[in-house]
Amino acid sequence: MSETKIYDWILLYWMPYDNNLSPFRSTILKMLAKGVQSENILVLVQSDIFKQDPLSRSIITKDNVDTQQLNATNSASEEIFAEYLNWTKAQFSGKKWAIIFLGHGGNLDEISPDVHPVPDSSAGTQWMNIEKLNKVILDFNKKIDGQIELIFLQNCCKGTIEAHYTFRHAAKYTLSSQTPLGAPNFYYESLLQFLGQHPAISGSELTEKIMEFEDSGMYNSYTVTNNAAVCNLPLKINPLIESILSSNIKNIQISELSGKSWSYLYMDDRFADVISFFKWVVTQSSTDHQKLDVFINFLTKEMIHKFQESPKTKYPNLTGLSLCIPSSKKQLDKYKYLKVFSDLKLVELFDPILRN
């Protein structure tokens, strides 16, 4: 009986392109295939295309692409994603792993939609939920002894405190974009060639190479967090929130955010650069700056491993991570099930600020 091959790196791509991104699927697959030039690198892609049924799974190794059709149609299903991970573990072994989600960004708790989750049905677009995905990945990471180095949210506007906190235990590093991303992106080939030549690199080094090899027209900025530090976020941000709550919090007018260069809308949500937002809140509420300085130092020196702006950025006033700012108490109620809202005392912060 032959021994199971152990790859230096296994990269798992999730490509839910049953939407307007569908034309980019073949382009990305070609770049991935061209990039794998080492026998010790394995790339797996589970993908969907517009109105087509069923999903497909591609196994990309040096000089070979094996694509299989699956008996599944919903690329926005966390259960089907879990099956993908379980199949991978049963078939392959690796020293280091990365999971990359492609697709649109959605609302705060959503990524990667499927416009036609059920064939011949008018069920409407379905999105994956980040809390459910986190639980799936946590379970998988335990099964492979914590070998997931990176989760890459290659989706628009997932560079948020909420998303990075949600995935803090699922991988050593999380990479995302604070603002919209382009498509199809072009880092794939160079990254995989480099990885084949330097398989000993860490997850943090992998993220740096993604940034280095990406076309400057495909992104505004990328942010990588050290997830060991993200776990300490409540210890740094909650004292700041408590100091704000004990100050003149009624002076804060959330409606003024629409005119700020560091605040923007995406889908149904308003986001604000987290450092700029708390600087503004501290000023508006006449809060002492000491807790703010501690928080900013932690965020920039410990939690954010690297923040890189594109020379072509359309958002020059951002610092790496955003915070979703609920527009109403109804929207706050919608999202407060996310653990980040209770762990970081976000409900306590927003509830007295919101007027309706």
Side-chain angles (χ1 to χ4, degrees):
M1 184 176 180
S2 61
E3 293 185 4
T4 301
K5 180 178 178 61
I6 301 177
Y7 290 92
D8 288 320
W9 275 92
I10 297 178
L11 280 69
L12 291 88
Y13 278 85
W14 184 257
M15 190 188 297
Y17 276 10
D18 185 358
N19 49 60
N20 62 346
L21 295 173
S22 185
F24 297 118
R25 175 182 176 271
S26 60
T27 301
I28 294 173
L29 288 174
K30 288 176 183 177
M31 287 189 282
L32 290 170
K34 195 172 180 181
V36 178
Q37 298 182 4
S38 167
E39 295 180 351
N40 292 321
I41 303 299
L42 173 66
V43 174
L44 303 172
V45 185
Q46 189 149 310
S47 62
D48 196 4
I49 56 176
F50 193 64
K51 291 186 178 180
Q52 294 298 308
D53 174 35
L55 307 183
S56 64
R57 182 179 292 158
S58 298
I59 305 169
I60 304 175
T61 53
K62 182 182 179 182
D63 301 323
N64 187 63
V65 178
D66 178 18
T67 299
Q68 310 163 355
Q69 298 298 309
L70 306 177
N71 185 27
T73 62
N74 188 354
S75 59
S77 165
E78 295 86 8
E79 291 77 14
I80 291 175
F81 176 72
E83 291 172 5
Y84 174 43
L85 297 186
N86 290 333
W87 169 84
T88 300
K89 181 184 180 299
Q91 298 293 322
F92 307 104
S93 294
K95 298 176 183 177
K96 298 175 184 177
W97 299 65
I99 298 177
I100 304 97
F101 291 96
L102 279 65
H104 293 298
N107 290 325
L108 178 65
D109 56 354
E110 299 172 333
I111 59 171
S112 304
D114 188 333
V115 174
H116 306 94
V118 181
D120 303 319
S121 170
S122 58
T125 300
Q126 181 176 327
W127 294 81
M128 303 183 93
N129 177 275
I130 61 172
E131 281 277 8
K132 293 179 180 179
L133 278 178
N134 176 60
K135 292 177 182 177
V136 170
I137 298 171
L138 279 175
D139 181 62
F140 176 70
N141 202 23
K142 290 178 183 177
K143 293 177 182 177
I144 60 171
D145 301 321
Q147 294 173 327
I148 300 179
E149 290 281 322
L150 171 66
I151 291 176
F152 181 9
L153 304 175
Q154 195 175 319
N155 317 91
C156 292
C157 301
K158 285 300 150 192
T160 66
I161 290 289
E162 294 89 347
H164 280 249
Y165 189 79
T166 296
F167 290 107
R168 68 196 181 281
H169 294 304
K172 295 176 183 176
Y173 296 89
T174 301
L175 172 62
S176 69
S177 174
Q178 202 173 355
T179 58
L181 280 174
N185 304 99
F186 294 105
Y187 68 85
Y188 311 98
E189 185 178 342
S190 296
L191 176 72
L192 291 169
Q193 290 176 3
F194 179 88
L195 196 57
Q197 296 166 2
H198 305 86
I201 67 170
S202 65
S204 62
E205 293 170 311
L206 183 68
T207 65
E208 292 167 10
K209 288 301 173 181
I210 291 173
M211 296 181 191
E212 177 183 336
F213 295 134
E214 183 59 282
D215 183 279
S216 61
M218 286 286 106
Y219 73 105
N220 293 291
S221 65
Y222 276 126
T223 302
V224 187
T225 53
N226 178 345
N227 288 339
V230 176
C231 294
N232 295 323
L233 182 58
L235 299 175
K236 303 299 181 179
I237 198 172
N238 284 344
L240 170 59
I241 292 175
E242 289 167 359
S243 67
I244 293 168
L245 291 173
S246 64
S247 301
N248 299 319
I249 194 168
K250 291 185 178 180
N251 290 343
I252 300 170
Q253 301 293 324
I254 288 293
S255 60
E256 295 180 9
L257 290 181
S258 60
K260 304 297 182 183
S261 61
W262 39 264
S263 180
Y264 54 94
L265 292 170
Y266 183 72
M267 301 294 284
D268 297 330
D269 299 323
R270 173 164 292 282
F271 294 94
D273 181 82
V274 69
I275 289 179
S276 299
F277 173 73
F278 277 111
K279 283 183 176 180
W280 176 74
V281 167
V282 164
T283 299
Q284 294 295 307
S285 61
S286 301
T287 302
D288 182 80
H289 280 245
Q290 191 269 333
K291 298 291 194 304
L292 173 65
D293 294 340
V294 170
F295 169 67
I296 292 175
N297 184 70
F298 165 75
L299 191 72
T300 57
K301 299 293 196 307
E302 298 181 42
M303 184 169 142
I304 294 179
H305 171 74
K306 186 171 183 178
F307 170 64
Q308 177 171 303
E309 282 187 301
S310 166
K312 299 180 181 179
T313 183
K314 298 176 182 177
Y315 299 82
N317 298 308
L318 304 182
T319 60
L321 289 171
S322 292
L323 189 68
C324 180
I325 313 299
S327 60
S328 64
K329 293 193 177 187
K330 181 178 180 180
Q331 191 177 41
L332 178 61
D333 288 341
K334 174 184 176 182
Y335 290 137
K336 68 181 183 182
Y337 79 93
L338 294 169
K339 199 169 188 302
V340 64
F341 273 76
S342 55
D343 285 2
L344 303 190
K345 295 193 174 182
L346 295 178
V347 174
E348 290 91 331
L349 173 65
F350 290 126
D351 189 64
I353 295 175
L354 297 171
R355 305 293 187 248
N356 54 66

